[in-house]
Amino acid sequence: IVFMLISSISFPLHFVAIRRRKLLHYFQDSELKAFLSIILVSCLLVFLSLFFSNEAHSYLAAAFHVVSFSTTTGLVVGDYYLLPAMSPFLLLLLGIVGGCAGSTTGGIKVIRLILLQKQGLREIKRLIHPQGKFMIQFQHQPVPTKIIEAIWGFLAVYVGLFALFLLLILLVEDDFVTAYTVVIACFSNIGPALG
């Protein structure tokens, strides 16, 4: 779990921390904080689903699966698909998100989701205050509009290709869950799928 998490952190962040010999840089990175928050909340949700289902699954194995899927490592321990109903789909969503930009993970990357969320909040502010000028910032730096447009373009291509390949897989596969999760696994480089 530890080494999967280390590999999912931005390598430039590792470089700066090692070069300056300060671990403080890890705690100042907004993307890393968001990524670790996603991991912790996901572990908590899987633990709660295990607790309330009274099924015999290891909490350590559940945490391993959360980290493995979110880092798109592709490792599994036992039958992860037998976890309570919400958990396998949560794991696949974690694989879609992926880890930090500049790491070995697949997926969309946490930074893109952070910037999309900031863009969404800015649009809500614009609806409330049409004459207002709102700038998107990340780590106290303004984010150029071209970057936000590139992220929206990437997401549009991602969703469009996802839909196309899902339809193509459904030509030969009758089970929607299998087709859907196989396309997710391939697009995000997760490895395991359901079905």
Side-chain angles (χ1 to χ4, degrees), residues 111-122 152:
I111 186 131
R112 287 189 179 116
L113 295 179
I114 291 171
L115 292 176
L116 286 174
Q117 180 250 347
K118 288 179 179 277
Q119 164 70 11
L121 291 174
R122 179 174 77 171
W152 278 111

Side-chain angles (χ1 to χ4, degrees), residues 78-105:
D79 300 329
Y80 68 94
Y81 51 86
L82 295 178
L83 288 168
M86 177 223 38
S87 298
F89 289 101
L90 175 63
L91 294 175
L92 288 171
L93 287 176
L94 290 171
I96 291 171
V97 172
C100 299
S103 69
T104 61
T105 61

Side-chain angles (χ1 to χ4, degrees), residues 146-185:
K146 288 184 178 183
I147 300 289
I148 301 298
E149 291 171 356
I151 291 171
W152 278 111
F154 170 82
L155 191 63
V157 170
Y158 189 94
V159 170
L161 287 174
F162 181 87
L164 174 68
F165 282 102
L166 178 60
L167 291 174
L168 290 174
I169 296 292
L170 285 171
L171 286 173
V172 296
E173 176 61 52
D174 291 335
D175 183 23
F176 181 78
V177 171
T178 299
Y180 184 76
T181 60
V182 162
V183 174
I184 289 174

